[in-house]
Amino acid sequence: GLEKNFTLHAYREPGEVPERLLAELAGTLRFIAVCGHPGRADSALMQRLPKLQIVSNFGVGYDNVDAKWAAERGIMVTNTPDILNEEVADTAIGLLLCTVRELPRADRYIRAGEWAKNGDFRLTASLRNRAVGMVGLGRIGKAIASRLDAMRVPVVYHTRRPQADVPYRHFADLIAMARAVDVLLCIVPGGAATKHMIGAAVLEALGPDGILINMARGSVVDEPALIEALRDGKILSAGLDVFANEPNVPAELIAMENVVLLPHVGSASAPTRAAMEQLVVDNLVHWKNGQPPLTPVPETPWPQTKARA
Ligand code: NAP
Ligand code: 8YV
């Protein structure tokens, strides 16, 4: 889609945009399509592109884009909301069940020939006697909560603002919610406001039967504090789709049996990724044709309040 509609300069190396590309093109680039992980469109990059008009992010989370900086200069930022809600919610429930019932470990038990040799797999914890505390109850959080409703699992939630139209109890205080539930399921945006909001005190409050599921961003969890809590039995187990320094996962987590690890696959089915790709392209094409962008982020609403500086 990009090749069909634009003169495309693509690069696939991880990390910073290569200097050779910038040296050649910085004065002409007007549109950026950025893949959330590991791509970044930070202020250091954007300020080198005087003609930049729009950043179209592949992913609903855009903590990889300095949207506030862009907004101050009239640069549009778009993301891919809603079209991935159900996929990410499915993955979250899969990760929750895998973690509570230790299903990947049971699979490994058969493959290692342990069933025939040592008899039945160990008995596990259960979702039956648990309440789930949602950390974040936005588009994806609500899709997860509705699945939990169908599974007859009680739901409560923590956000900055209580919501009038949901049937779940709101906790203004995250530690109080962690004390009241047996599972915390994170699905908030990344960035400074949520950095390490799951730290030692929250994990301590969750308690020795507690389970942490992180579908949000690795930055939301204080990873060393989580490793310590898992190692010392301060919580029971964790299911993680996201990590602080992707694609690097701490060796301590890889060595633990009471963790289920996924390589950031929340939305990673072929149809959902295709829909996200199309929306990245459509946002850019609309912009190029002088039409409103389809899904601007809240920092850069349409109509624009500031012209390109
Ligand atoms: P959304 O609709 O904007 O919902 C975000 C929720 O988080 C809202 O309920 C919001 O409520 C709450 N929140 C935001 N900041 C908070 C804070 N500082 N403290 C407490 N609660 C806070 O976003 P979404 O579409 O559901 O996506 C959520 C996030 O999921 C994305 O930003 C991304 O990081 C992550 N994600 C991960 C994957 C994956 O593959 N693992 C896939 C898609 C998305 P208040 O504003 O009232 O606080
Ligand atoms: C994306 C995600 O796969 O949408 C998000 O916020 O985390 C995932 O769906 C990711 O951003 C692209 O690598």
Side-chain angles (χ1 to χ4, degrees):
L2 291 175
E3 265 164 2
K4 212 168 90 193
N5 290 285
F6 301 91
T7 306
L8 180 66
H9 305 280
Y11 82 99
R12 291 175 187 279
E13 300 94 339
E16 304 289 313
V17 177
E19 194 52 43
R20 61 174 163 72
L21 197 91
L22 283 175
E24 197 186 324
L25 300 166
T28 58
L29 291 179
R30 286 182 294 153
F31 315 106
I32 294 181
V34 60
C35 178
H37 299 97
R40 296 193 65 76
D42 51 22
S43 56
L45 172 66
M46 289 191 278
Q47 71 187 356
R48 294 187 65 182
L49 310 176
K51 297 220 168 114
L52 180 65
Q53 297 173 12
I54 179 169
V55 177
S56 180
N57 186 55
F58 178 76
V60 64
Y62 55 97
D63 47 315
N64 57 317
V65 181
D66 201 336
K68 194 164 167 286
W69 189 94
E72 282 158 7
R73 285 149 188 89
I75 298 168
M76 175 55 61
V77 179
T78 62
N79 65 345
T80 60
D82 289 319
I83 50 178
L84 42 53
N85 292 351
E86 307 302 333
E87 200 71 73
V88 181
D90 288 350
T91 312
I93 295 296
L95 181 56
L96 173 62
L97 287 172
C98 282
T99 308
V100 178
R101 298 296 322 281
E102 302 181 35
L103 301 180
R105 192 174 176 183
D107 175 273
R108 292 197 293 274
Y109 192 76
I110 291 191
R111 290 173 200 275
E114 302 257 10
W115 194 14
K117 207 163 64 193
N118 296 331
D120 285 347
F121 184 64
R122 64 201 291 274
L123 300 181
T124 69
S126 172
L127 200 51
R128 290 305 100 214
N129 51 3
R130 285 172 186 273
V132 172
M134 299 292 303
V135 183
L137 193 74
R139 292 166 293 229
I140 301 171
K142 287 197 183 76
I144 296 171
S146 72
R147 282 158 174 74
L148 292 169
D149 291 346
M151 293 161 73
R152 295 174 171 65
V153 175
V155 171
V156 297
Y157 73 107
H158 165 75
T159 53
R160 292 166 299 183
R161 292 170 288 266
Q163 299 178 34
D165 55 347
V166 297
Y168 316 115
R169 177 177 170 197
H170 179 255
F171 280 83
D173 181 23
L174 178 54
I175 292 192
M177 184 171 84
R179 264 193 222 107
V181 299
D182 319 283
V183 179
L184 284 180
L185 198 159
C186 302
I187 189 75
V188 285
T194 56
K195 188 168 167 56
H196 290 185
M197 71 190 286
I198 307 293
V202 172
L203 295 169
E204 185 104 41
L206 187 56
D209 284 329
I211 295 176
L212 175 74
I213 305 294
N214 189 10
M215 290 299 297
R217 284 291 181 264
S219 59
V220 170
V221 173
D222 179 347
E223 232 166 46
L226 173 63
I227 290 167
E228 201 180 306
L230 287 163
R231 193 193 55 214
D232 299 348
K234 287 186 184 150
I235 66 167
L236 182 66
S237 57
L240 309 170
D241 185 45
V242 286
F243 301 89
N245 183 27
E246 297 175 8
N248 304 302
V249 176
E252 293 97 323
L253 288 176
I254 291 175
M256 285 175 180
E257 284 287 7
N258 55 339
V259 226
V260 178
L261 305 170
L262 299 180
H264 201 146
V265 293
S267 66
S269 73
T272 295
R273 285 292 173 85
M276 291 164 65
E277 283 167 14
Q278 191 59 54
L279 186 50
V280 168
V281 174
D282 290 346
N283 268 307
L284 291 174
V285 170
H286 270 239
W287 183 267
K288 187 176 114 175
N289 293 340
Q291 296 163 321
L294 296 169
T295 47
V297 303
E299 289 86 342
T300 62
W302 183 265
Q304 279 177 297
T305 47
K306 191 160 174 75
R308 176 72 175 96

